[in-house]
Amino acid sequence: MQLYNTLSAEERAIMIDDAGKQRLTLSFYAYAKIQDPQKFRNDLFIAWNALDALGRIYVAHEGINAQMSVPSENFEAFRETLEAYDFMKGIRLNVAVEQDDHSFLKLTIKVRHKIVADGLNDDTFDVTNIGVHLKAKEFNEILDDPNTIVVDFRNHYESEVGHFKGAITPDVETFRESLPIINEQLKDYKEDKNLVMYCTGGIRCEKASAYFKHQGFKNVYQLEGGIINYAKQLKEEGLESKFIGKNFVFDNRLGERITDDIISQCHQCGKPCDNHTNCENDGCHLLFIQCDECKAAMENCCSTECLEIIHMPLVDQVRLRTGKQVGNKVFRKGKSENLKFKHSGELPETALATAQKPADIRQKIKVKKVLLGKAEHYYVKAQVGQFTIENQELNSGDKILISGPTTGDQELVLNRIIVNGEETQTAKIGDKVTFEVPFRIRLSDKLYKIVN
């Protein structure tokens, strides 16, 4: 019985593109007493693998914590796999604001000691005695109360790119570090202040709120569903956002934009930027903020040392990192002496720049386009797309538009087209044509010729 992944991330990406089906990125958690986490893990893997559900999931005796990607057509069937367990009946699923079919490319379910590492003895407090849940509107209102103290229970690399105005943003790398720091910092306000907290999806605050009630804080509140659910409610109810910037997320997207404010800087040159990357050097994988210009110049590396290493023969790269502890490569790092413009702790609340919204061809009234055909395949390594021409001829030099629900609207000018393995100037109706496409395409994508 298959209880592990059999495909590489690259193979899975190709399969997802070939399927051409819309996927939903979502997250959820539940605290519960699970007697046999290993059996629970195996049962979930079998059920979710059958639904082509992917993601990163942790299970423990204290519950489940999951970030996932699920085909939209299997969403209800996926929900039924959760409803089969009493403690997950009616569970809230936080659906991402921004969708990406490649947010997760493997199904990884791990058994852990805890679903949220807190460094505490579980017997010292009741994790179910939580603070009051606040919806977005209520959260906004309590933030306006001068008697409120709001705390960000995320890590420094998360709060740096986006946070609520006026929030305390601890300079920590782990959740467990923040608990004693905040407890000491706010020890004189246990009786008379509103202690309001938030995190990405709610799971850290669920435990933190119980901990601080145990520590004697009288008025403890938490943002229901975290920033993810807050952003969703903003759109649904037309509310003002008191969160500024981008919400860091733990999948391949590394963030989803809540407001157009860019409040952080490229860690290498200081240019306003809030796009995270992981150092290309497999012996480093430092998580840091890097602008497009530095990304090109440094080839996704965090330092000149790492840049030199990635150009070494592979055998020499392996030799250099042999015996070294890399640890949690992606999400537990974010500080280095090489990062000249890294900020933590007290963070700015004014924008350094405004994010540019991607152009949408459908909003350009004067643009005229003619449907040519549809996508057939995308060759990831070669960055080449294959299309079937069903309507008009396609010529070298034509300006085209590739459009789809996940791909968006992308314009290209064709410099070179291939039909039946040979370069040609014209592709005719019925031809299967290939050409370079510097972004992923899906089977649901349509090919247009821009004619004005």
Side-chain angles (χ1 to χ4, degrees), residues 218-232:
K218 300 301 182 184
N219 307 305
V220 181
Y221 303 86
Q222 58 176 308
L223 178 59
E224 183 181 22
I227 302 165
I228 295 174
N229 197 42
Y230 178 84
K232 180 182 177 183

Side-chain angles (χ1 to χ4, degrees), residues 105-175:
L105 296 174
K106 289 186 177 182
L107 177 58
T108 304
I109 310 178
K110 295 184 178 181
V111 176
R112 290 284 179 86
H113 178 58
K114 296 181 180 180
I115 57 174
V116 177
D118 53 28
L120 303 172
N121 181 344
D122 281 349
D123 294 332
T124 62
F125 71 101
D126 180 4
V127 73
T128 65
N129 184 24
I130 60 175
V132 177
H133 280 134
L134 298 175
K135 297 187 182 300
K137 183 178 180 181
E138 298 168 320
F139 194 80
N140 280 357
E141 291 172 352
I142 203 168
L143 291 188
D144 291 334
D145 186 340
N147 202 45
T148 290
I149 297 175
V150 59
V151 181
D152 189 325
F153 274 99
R154 300 173 303 152
N155 304 326
H156 61 84
Y157 53 82
E158 300 174 78
S159 58
E160 185 178 9
V161 295
H163 54 263
F164 279 96
K165 299 174 184 177
I168 297 173
T169 52
D171 185 11
V172 297
E173 291 203 27
T174 63
F175 171 68

Side-chain angles (χ1 to χ4, degrees), residues 203-263:
I203 186 170
R204 284 174 278 189
C205 288
E206 198 87 356
K207 180 170 282 190
S209 69
Y211 171 76
F212 283 101
K213 288 186 70 174
H214 178 72
Q215 291 298 315
F217 286 83
K218 300 301 182 184
N219 307 305
V220 181
Y221 303 86
Q222 58 176 308
L223 178 59
E224 183 181 22
I227 302 165
I228 295 174
N229 197 42
Y230 178 84
K232 180 182 177 183
Q233 291 178 29
L234 292 184
K235 288 190 174 183
E236 292 175 346
E237 301 176 32
L239 302 173
E240 171 196 1
S241 177
K242 292 185 179 293
F243 184 96
I244 52 174
K246 180 184 283 188
N247 182 28
F248 184 95
V249 293
F250 293 83
D251 58 55
N252 293 335
R253 297 171 299 155
L254 294 180
E256 55 182 22
R257 186 158 298 288
I258 308 301
T259 71
D260 294 333
D261 303 294
I262 297 177
I263 62 172

